[in-house]
Structures are given as structure tokens and as C-alpha cells.
Amino acid sequence: MRTPGVRVADVADATRVRTRRGLFHPATRERILWGYLMVAPMLLGLLVFYIWPVVQTFYYSFTRWGAFGGSTWTGLDNYSTLIHDPDFGLALRNTALYTVFSVPISIALSIVVATLLNQRIRGVTIYRTLYFLPVVTMPAAIGMMWKWLYEGDYGLINSILRALHIHGPNWTTDSHTALIAVIIVGIWSTVGYNMVLFLAGLQAIPGTYYEAAQIDGAGPLSRFFRITMPLLTPTIFFALVIAFINAFQVFDIIYMMIGAPDNPGPAIDGVKSIVYLFYDHAFHLNDKGYAASIVMVMFAMLLAFTAFQLWFQRRWVHYE
């Protein structure tokens, strides 16, 4: 109800005056200053170690570097060369195949493992720890361990196959099996991380939904696909975004299992990724300008696909 004799404009003016006085009050300014001081270390680290390198890399992608340092501006020459470079096309194909196969399988296995380890079973903490161990293990150690397991003559995998009268392939030296071997290692090393995410998502689902469904006669599979999966979609979406970004940057497993750029293995063309190609040009061939253009194209592809995922998630992710 409007008070007689008081205009709306006067009330608005008084509110603006109080707001202005509050913003410029010494105590308010001091709180704002302390707030900026508290976040300054994080902002400084973000600027120095993330934002500035991206700006530098973007600039370097338009330059060509000499063998002894120094750069010259070349405009779009690096990008023009990149479009017609068969090595980049091969690396893009291998990276896409690795991503297409490793990400969905890893997500599916992680959901199954998380569902099983969300039950009240004896020793569940030990099982969760064992599945999570690859996440905290150094990638170099993982690569060396699996390289020994995949060894054609004395590796454990082929030894087991020989015991079953099966002739195992040369996993890491055959171009037909090298990518499969890398995909298996990639899945094995990421299931534990995704499992933790899905465990958190599963434990956030209210138990009353399952009780109501059980009273209505819904079986385990029906409860899983009609309750668990729809309510787990926000976690699945987050895991998909992270898994896609990590899969597109696969490098260390290839480096340790297949071979370094200065001593590549015979199957390197079957597994060479975009990051591996970037490393080859940046640190082996010393062509930093071209390497910068490679990583900027990869950055643009990741940005575009992540934006597509953010747009498309409105069609299948349920937040309520």
C-alpha cells in the first residue's frame, strides 16, 4: 500500500544514496580490499601459469622459429601448412579413434563398478582403493608396467595366451594392435577416477525413490534404468566432458609404450596423437611456431566440442 505524500521517485533516490554510501563506506572498502587480497595469489597463478601461456602460444602460432632461437612473423603460413600436413591428419584420426573408443567404455565400466561398490559388501573400502590406485600412479610407471605386460615374447599377457594355445600378437610393435593396446591402458587408468565421481552421484540419490519403486514391484534393472541413470545424468555429463578433454590430450602412454620422437617404434604411425605431434615439432624438430599452431587448433576443437556438450546436455541431463 502506498504511503500518502511519499513519491516513488523519492524512495528510489533514497535507496540509491544509501547504496552509494554503503559501497564507499570505509568499512565496506576495507572488506572489498581484503577480498581481493585473499584471491590475489590464485588470480596471479592463473594469470602467470594459464592465461599468459595461452596468449603467448597464440602469438607464436603466427611465427617461425630458428634453430638458435628468435622468431619471425609468418602470418597464417603455419595454419596453411597444417591443413595440408598428412601427419596432422593421421594424428587427428588416431586421437579421434582413441577418444571414441576409450571414453564411452571407460564411462560405462565406471558406472558398473561404482554401482557394485556402492553396495554394503565386506571389504568395499579395499576394493575402492584398488580401483583408484591407477589414478595416483605416475603415468610413466603405468606405461613401463604395461609395456612389459604387452611384450611379445616374455610379456605376461602373451604368456597366458600361450598357455591357452593362442598365439598373441606383438602388441606395441604391430600397427594393427598398438592403438588397441593404448586404448586398454587408457581405460584401465581412468576407471578409478570416474568411479569416485559416480559413487558421489549415487550416494546423493535419495533412498526413498528406490523404496517406492520396490513397493510398486520394480525389479533391480528397472530401478537402475528408471531411477539411477536419469538422476545420475549430471554426473555422467561432467565425467564425459573431463574424459573427452583428457582423452584428446593422450601422450604419456604413447611416449612410454610405443616410443619417443627421437626413437619411435615401428607402430608409431598407428598411435601418433595430436599432443605427440606437438611434442615432436616443439622439442625434437625445434619448430615451435608450427607446434604452437597444432596446439591452438587442438584447443579450438576442444573448446568447440565442450560448447556443443554444454548445449546438448539440456536435452538429456536431468537436474531435478
Side-chain angles (χ1 to χ4, degrees):
M1 182 175 181
R2 185 175 174 180
T3 305
V6 178
R7 296 184 305 168
V8 175
D10 295 336
V11 176
D13 291 340
T15 303
R16 283 195 294 268
V17 170
R18 286 196 299 271
T19 303
R20 192 180 301 114
R21 287 177 180 174
L23 288 175
F24 292 99
H25 192 274
T28 304
R29 291 199 302 269
E30 185 178 355
R31 286 196 297 269
I32 294 174
L33 178 61
W34 274 107
Y36 280 115
L37 287 175
M38 292 297 103
V39 300
M42 184 196 69
L43 292 177
L44 185 62
L46 187 67
L47 178 65
V48 173
F49 296 108
Y50 289 91
I51 298 177
W52 177 242
V54 171
V55 175
Q56 275 189 314
T57 304
F58 180 71
Y59 169 76
Y60 290 154
S61 67
F62 298 100
T63 63
R64 184 173 300 278
W65 285 68
F68 300 99
S71 61
T72 56
W73 181 266
T74 58
L76 296 174
D77 287 354
N78 288 328
Y79 292 97
S80 177
T81 304
L82 187 65
I83 293 174
H84 302 91
D85 187 358
D87 278 346
F88 179 75
L90 180 64
L92 183 59
R93 168 187 168 274
N94 293 335
T95 305
L97 286 174
Y98 175 85
T99 303
V100 166
F101 284 101
S102 66
V103 172
I105 296 175
S106 174
I107 295 296
L109 285 177
S110 301
I111 293 175
V112 173
V113 172
T115 303
L116 294 175
L117 295 183
N118 195 40
Q119 310 299 319
R120 294 180 179 178
I121 58 177
R122 182 177 298 179
V124 65
T125 305
I126 298 175
Y127 293 128
R128 291 176 182 177
T129 304
L130 291 175
Y131 274 102
F132 191 74
L133 274 179
V135 181
V136 296
T137 305
M138 293 296 293
I142 291 175
M144 292 299 295
M145 180 191 70
W146 278 93
K147 185 177 182 180
W148 175 78
L149 292 174
Y150 280 132
E151 210 279 326
D153 296 325
Y154 308 104
L156 181 61
I157 294 176
N158 278 0
S159 297
I160 296 174
L161 292 177
R162 278 195 296 271
L164 299 174
H165 305 287
I166 299 174
H167 179 71
N170 295 317
W171 295 92
T172 59
T173 58
D174 188 345
S175 59
H176 296 92
T177 58
L179 185 60
I180 298 174
V182 172
I183 289 173
I184 292 173
V185 179
I187 294 171
W188 176 83
S189 59
T190 56
V191 165
Y193 175 79
N194 294 328
M195 176 203 68
V196 172
L197 296 178
F198 292 129
L199 273 174
L202 288 170
Q203 292 173 4
I205 299 176
T208 53
Y209 294 161
Y210 296 103
E211 294 172 2
Q214 194 169 7
I215 292 173
D216 290 339
L221 287 178
S222 179
R223 293 197 300 269
F224 179 78
F225 286 106
R226 294 181 179 273
I227 298 176
T228 303
M229 290 301 293
L231 295 178
L232 203 61
T233 49
T235 308
I236 296 174
F237 167 66
F238 175 78
L240 275 174
V241 172
I242 300 300
F244 178 85
I245 294 174
N246 291 334
F248 224 72
Q249 300 179 68
V250 59
F251 166 74
D252 38 25
I253 299 174
I254 300 173
Y255 185 95
M256 298 303 299
M257 288 177 49
I258 311 301
D262 55 348
N263 186 26
I268 191 62
D269 286 340
V271 295
K272 183 185 296 182
S273 65
I274 295 178
V275 177
Y276 188 96
L277 185 68
F278 158 76
Y279 181 88
D280 187 14
H281 281 276
F283 301 103
H284 181 223
L285 302 176
N286 200 31
D287 191 359
K288 293 180 173 58
Y290 188 68
S293 66
I294 293 173
V295 78
M296 288 309 301
V297 169
M298 185 187 74
F299 174 75
M301 288 190 293
L302 284 175
L303 193 64
F305 194 80
T306 303
F308 171 77
Q309 287 179 305
L310 288 171
W311 170 79
F312 190 69
Q313 57 94 18
R314 289 177 287 183
R315 297 174 178 267
W316 64 276
V317 178
H318 306 280
Y319 291 102
E320 293 290 338

